[in-house]
Amino acid sequence: MKAAAVYPDTKSLGVVADFPEPKIESPTGVKLRVLNVGVCGTDREIASFLYGTPPAGSEYLVIGHECLGEVVEAGPEAGAVKPGDLVIPMVRRPCDHPDCIACRAGRQDFCYTGDYRERGIMKMHGFMTELVVDDVRYMNPVPAGIREVAVLVEPLTIAEKALIQVKQIQGRLPWRKHSALVLGAGPVGLLGAMTLALDGFEVTVYSKDREPNASADIVKAIGGKYISALDRSIDQMAAEMGAIDLVYEATGSSQLAFDVLPVLGPNGVFVLTGVPGKHGPQPFDKDDVMRKMVLRNQCLFGTVNAGKDAFEHAVTDLTGFYAKWPEAVRGLITGRFSIDNFAQPIQNQKGIKNIIEIGK
Ligand code: BGC
Ligand code: ZN
């Protein structure tokens, strides 16, 4: 069967024509027919050979980690999951260290050792192929009603894991504060904006492009405000917003993130989700940052990957977004490609979210 792969040794991309068909080998195994696979910045990094590692002994890595599949076969102990069900597989698999309490507790998204594996990214083949087999514990059922957009669940889990943590931190305040700034209007930023809007935050999205543009239209459709960085400086944007209670960073630009940190409001929370490239040391005013953070009780944290709880929230929230803002949610998916053309949206990013359509 076909599989979309990157070859780090020869720095090339290609479709493997005879990728072996997987078999269920454990009673809790399930086999999926892959329907859609989303492409993201991580895939672009992998395809630029800056990130990603093939499985031991393989000259290539099959990519794809944002997957929607349909169950075609289930092992005798796969529980309630049965053929015909739609599922989203999780990306990360636990490390083997007996003393990694996170991985031993099924929370490999908080792995201590760094020896986790990730499908389509780190030492394990991914989902950009026709059939995949995996353990039922990594499967997250999705209702058939959101099939058209369900490939957005995995990127949405980034925002959901962030929001779970934001709620825990904001729980230190005996009141609720609502003003959120999202940096970046790509898929992670827009899905973050939707998550926050549905949760009752007043959302402003700050991004490069001037209006009119498709991302700005989506922000407005969900009741948010869009501000172009070409029209307003960070200080002007902050003055317009008033006290900022939450910043959700989704650009991967450390420059932008640390330029915005000084305008975070009292008791504010700043979440980093982007993974920047390495651009060497940059000067920044450490005294000012530390002073403000202490005197304003602020919290800055990074977040990666997601646990079962975030996947469950993502399925519930995507269903909610789709009911409330169907056009905006559909509008996130701007390009559809066949597996033969998988390299196109990776090498030449256009639009918001591009997906590879494999099964129907
Ligand atoms: C994926 C995560 C993964 C991270 C780092 C992201 O694109 O959504 O599941 O942990 O990349 O590899
Ligand atoms: Zn991704």
Side-chain angles (χ1 to χ4, degrees), residues 316-346:
T316 306
D317 278 355
L318 187 63
T319 308
F321 304 164
Y322 200 38
K324 202 166 174 189
W325 311 302
E327 288 310 314
V329 177
R330 267 190 230 114
L332 292 169
I333 301 177
T334 47
R336 297 167 188 273
F337 297 81
S338 70
I339 192 165
D340 293 318
N341 294 326
F342 82 95
Q344 220 171 293
I346 295 180

Side-chain angles (χ1 to χ4, degrees), residues 63-335:
I63 59 167
H65 59 274
E66 302 182 357
C67 173
L68 166 67
E70 184 186 317
V71 176
V72 288
E73 196 187 325
E77 286 165 34
V81 172
K82 55 179 190 317
D85 288 355
L86 298 179
V87 290
I88 307 293
M90 293 167 87
V91 177
R92 192 175 282 191
R93 302 294 171 264
C95 77
D96 295 328
H97 299 272
D99 54 355
C100 180
I101 46 175
C103 287
R104 300 293 68 79
R107 287 309 302 258
Q108 50 272 18
D109 58 313
F110 286 117
C111 176
Y112 281 91
T113 68
D115 289 334
Y116 57 78
R117 294 178 300 159
E118 290 182 336
R119 292 209 60 163
I121 304 174
M122 202 53 79
K123 301 180 194 153
M124 273 185 108
H125 288 313
F127 305 120
M128 217 179 270
T129 180
E130 296 169 61
L131 295 165
V132 297
V133 165
D134 216 326
D135 196 273
V136 69
R137 89 185 71 165
Y138 303 120
M139 298 298 144
N140 299 280
V142 290
I146 60 165
R147 180 182 181 121
E148 201 188 350
V149 294
V151 69
L152 298 169
V153 166
E154 196 280 339
L156 176 56
T157 61
I158 313 277
E160 297 290 356
K161 178 174 173 180
L163 187 61
I164 290 168
Q165 296 170 90
V166 166
K167 289 271 174 81
Q168 287 165 347
I169 299 161
Q170 284 196 329
R172 66 191 175 158
L173 307 172
W175 50 80
R176 174 121 201 240
K177 294 287 282 174
H178 294 278
S179 157
L181 171 64
V182 173
L183 302 178
V188 175
L190 293 172
L191 287 166
M194 288 183 178
T195 310
L196 295 169
L198 194 72
D199 195 63
F201 280 87
E202 270 171 40
V203 179
T204 299
V205 176
Y206 188 60
S207 181
K208 263 193 301 234
D209 293 346
R210 279 211 172 98
E211 291 182 68
N213 68 70
S215 294
D217 292 345
I218 291 174
V219 172
K220 286 185 284 186
I222 65 165
K225 185 167 175 182
Y226 182 90
I227 299 182
S228 163
L230 296 174
D231 295 333
R232 304 270 208 301
S233 68
I234 290 168
D235 289 327
Q236 289 170 326
M237 174 266 294
E240 240 172 76
M241 280 188 73
I244 300 172
D245 304 312
L246 170 66
V247 178
Y248 180 76
E249 179 282 327
T251 66
S253 163
S254 59
Q255 179 76 50
L256 178 67
F258 287 96
D259 285 347
V260 171
L261 184 55
V263 303
L264 179 65
N267 312 318
V269 182
F270 197 116
V271 190
L272 299 168
T273 76
V275 184
K278 291 189 179 157
H279 299 103
Q282 310 273 330
F284 91 100
D285 190 340
K286 303 182 200 79
D287 284 342
D288 187 57
V289 167
M290 185 161 160
R291 243 184 98 80
K292 284 191 174 130
M293 289 196 70
V294 170
L295 295 176
R296 295 175 178 175
N297 296 295
Q298 291 169 334
C299 174
L300 169 70
F301 74 91
T303 184
V304 70
N305 199 256
K308 269 261 149 176
D309 52 352
F311 274 85
E312 281 161 17
H313 290 205
V315 171
T316 306
D317 278 355
L318 187 63
T319 308
F321 304 164
Y322 200 38
K324 202 166 174 189
W325 311 302
E327 288 310 314
V329 177
R330 267 190 230 114
L332 292 169
I333 301 177
T334 47

